[in-house]
Amino acid sequence: MNGKRVRLAVIIATALGQYDFQQIKAVRKRLGLTQQELADMIAASQITVARWETGVKEPKGAYLQALKELTKRAKKNSEKQEIDGLRDRIA
């Protein structure tokens, strides 16, 4: 998936309150986190994150809420990078 498609998929998933394994991995990578770092942030195990990213399991409850918050952060970071990129091209 290219960046725009990933962004759109994450926005749609957030609106629907759902995630698929590709979206979880995309958000994690956009934030520059390893599976272990993401797991530590949301009090999960690395194996759990790996299972979400491969579609073996789906996040629920508090984990789903934590991923929603991370998605918001990833979206903000992405928008900031786009703005900074535009500023660099103008300058």
Side-chain angles (χ1 to χ4, degrees), residues 19-35:
Y19 288 83
D20 72 26
F21 64 94
Q22 292 172 330
Q23 294 161 337
I24 294 169
K25 187 173 185 176
V27 168
R28 177 179 62 79
K29 288 192 170 236
R30 187 177 299 151
L31 291 170
L33 300 172
T34 65
Q35 287 181 341

Side-chain angles (χ1 to χ4, degrees), residues 2-3 6-7 10 21 32-33 35 41-42 44 48 51 55 58 63-64 82 86 88 90:
N2 69 28
V6 169
R7 196 171 329 127
V10 169
F21 64 94
L33 300 172
Q35 287 181 341
M41 288 177 75
I42 61 174
T48 297
R51 288 179 179 158
E58 292 183 21
Y63 295 125
L64 186 58
E82 287 178 26
L86 289 171
D88 290 344
I90 292 171

